[in-house]
Amino acid sequence: MKKALITGITGQDGSYLADLLLEKGYEVHGIIRRASTFNTSRIDHLYADPHINGVRLFLHYGDLADSVNLVKLLYELKPDEVYHLGAQSHVRVSFDIPEYTSDVTGVGTIRILEAIRETGIRSKFYQASSSEMFGKAQQVPQTETTPFWPRSPYGVAKVFAYWATVNYRESYGLCASNGILFNHESPRRGETFVTRKITRAVAAIRLGLQKELFLGNLDAKRDWGYAPEYVEGMWRILQEGDGDDFVLATNETHTVREFVEAAFGHVNLDWKDYLKHDERYERPAEVDLLIGDAAKAKRILDWEPKVRFHELVRIMVDADVELLSRTTAQQHLGKLP
């Protein structure tokens, strides 16, 4: 039985990756941060039938700022594969807490790579790199050879982590790979990220629980895919060779405005009646256009996205309508006694 360690297991990608690896027969270990509230909602379903999944899923307290703990965990677990997905991953927030973002998102990767090297366990390592590294895009579409020009502390930290991964691969012979993933969304996306903020607001407006949606820049263009397909790509990357770098993307770009139009249109509402601009959601330096070319992943990994933009929007809106239709969700929004 293969053993995998996932940082960020309670996030969108980590939870879908746990689903996938358990289905493939792995023993899965995840690192979670200690918190005063429950933060495992995305993986709670995996404990529903302990005879199937629970006995192969284990959670460990840890922090990407604590290198001693990471070394101890790797010594103890000796995982075959390490998927490093944990980060301070909100781009706009990274402008407010740049030092923390740099430490956790950037230096945190060095801590794990050094722990793998120090323990000598030779785990395969996956680094969750980001299209935000391209920032002020120097080439359209972006590929594995496009120069980086990050436009946020988050993007800068991800560039650091990318090159750290390459350096440990070349310097110490680690099987270390970068997945340069373009935006990928799902009903498990965090509610502060723009796509989920939109679909949740659309559902709330449709159900009479909310009247307006406040957003920043509507003209930013992004390459949006479906998260479960992208974690499949992560797994395929680690099954390939001695380590390499791959772009995962749809090779389509759409504006935030198009996402808003599609989401409201799916529930037969006119977005112009509900959308308001709020400059607080504008970034100090904007990334205007991201669109990725995943030709290398298709050629080597036989990976390509199947869920496209409009289907993705429908999946997310339908999920949020269903979620907010439940009494408990409406109570959470403060709309019912």
Side-chain angles (χ1 to χ4, degrees):
M1 183 185 298
K2 281 189 176 182
K3 187 185 295 184
L5 175 64
I6 304 173
T7 71
I9 193 171
T10 59
Q12 170 188 255
D13 291 3
S15 65
Y16 281 122
L17 181 60
D19 288 340
L20 176 72
L21 295 179
L22 288 167
E23 287 173 6
K24 291 183 177 294
Y26 280 65
E27 178 179 305
V28 176
H29 295 259
I31 298 177
I32 62 172
R33 286 177 294 174
R34 172 69 178 88
S36 59
T37 57
F38 293 113
N39 60 354
T40 60
S41 60
R42 293 186 180 94
I43 56 173
D44 286 345
H45 65 283
L46 294 175
Y47 291 99
D49 189 344
H51 299 292
I52 297 175
N53 290 329
V55 294
R56 292 190 284 112
L57 176 64
F58 305 89
L59 301 181
H60 309 267
Y61 286 120
D63 196 295
L64 294 174
D66 185 353
S67 58
V68 173
N69 174 258
L70 294 172
V71 170
K72 288 171 62 178
L73 265 178
L74 285 169
Y75 265 127
E76 175 189 345
L77 299 177
K78 297 179 175 60
D80 300 288
E81 299 169 1
V82 176
Y83 294 87
H84 178 35
L85 313 182
Q88 190 303 98
S89 58
H90 197 287
V91 178
R92 177 61 189 84
V93 171
S94 75
F95 286 98
D96 300 324
I97 48 173
E99 182 179 346
Y100 175 79
T101 300
S102 300
D103 183 42
V104 173
T105 305
V107 182
T109 302
I110 282 281
R111 293 187 181 107
I112 296 180
L113 286 165
E114 185 62 13
I116 293 173
R117 188 191 70 81
E118 175 68 23
T119 56
I121 59 176
R122 312 301 293 181
S123 305
K124 292 184 176 182
F125 175 79
Y126 173 86
Q127 163 61 20
S129 291
S130 168
S131 59
E132 288 287 331
M133 300 187 304
F134 296 120
K136 190 176 181 180
Q138 302 300 292
Q139 176 185 330
V140 178
Q142 293 90 53
T143 71
E144 292 81 3
T145 60
T146 302
F148 301 136
W149 193 321
R151 299 272 282 172
S152 66
Y154 170 78
V156 171
K158 282 293 187 180
V159 170
F160 177 93
Y162 171 93
W163 285 116
T165 302
V166 172
N167 183 257
Y168 271 70
R169 182 170 73 219
E170 295 178 350
S171 299
Y172 302 114
L174 297 187
C175 181
S177 299
N178 283 288
I180 308 174
L181 272 57
F182 282 65
N183 293 63
H184 46 288
E185 319 296 320
S186 75
R188 297 186 193 175
R189 189 58 143 154
E191 294 166 12
T192 61
F193 291 84
V194 66
T195 52
R196 184 72 194 290
K197 182 179 178 180
I198 292 167
T199 61
R200 188 175 175 85
V202 167
I205 291 169
R206 178 68 179 82
L207 295 169
L209 303 172
Q210 186 172 324
K211 294 182 179 180
E212 298 173 320
L213 168 61
F214 293 90
L215 294 176
N217 181 17
L218 298 182
D219 296 319
K221 296 179 179 179
R222 294 292 184 271
D223 184 323
W224 277 304
Y226 186 42
E229 295 180 342
Y230 282 56
V231 300
E232 166 82 19
M234 296 177 189
W235 177 78
R236 292 192 182 199
I237 286 171
L238 282 202
Q239 312 315 304
E240 181 64 33
D242 299 320
D244 203 348
D245 309 315
F246 293 90
V247 163
L248 300 185
T250 70
N251 200 25
E252 293 181 13
T253 190
H254 298 271
T255 64
V256 175
R257 180 180 286 102
E258 287 178 82
F259 199 103
V260 171
E261 290 173 348
F264 276 97
H266 184 53
V267 294
N268 299 313
L269 294 176
D270 186 345
W271 65 277
K272 295 177 183 176
D273 293 335
Y274 305 98
L275 188 66
K276 306 292 181 183
H277 179 263
D278 191 330
E279 63 181 14
R280 292 177 299 174
Y281 299 121
E282 300 276 358
R283 299 181 187 179
E286 183 57 84
V287 173
D288 296 319
L289 170 63
L290 292 176
I291 178 171
D293 182 353
K296 179 180 176 181
K298 182 177 181 180
R299 184 177 72 254
I300 297 176
L301 307 176
D302 192 28
W303 180 91
E304 60 180 329
K306 297 179 177 61
V307 174
R308 294 295 177 167
F309 177 74
H310 289 284
E311 183 180 357
L312 171 65
V313 175
R314 290 195 296 269
I315 289 171
M316 293 181 66
V317 171
D318 287 344
D320 274 326
V321 169
E322 196 276 332
L323 172 66
L324 294 185
S325 295
R326 302 174 195 164
T327 300
T328 53
Q330 295 183 21
Q331 287 175 330
H332 178 70
L333 289 170
K335 302 299 182 181
L336 290 178

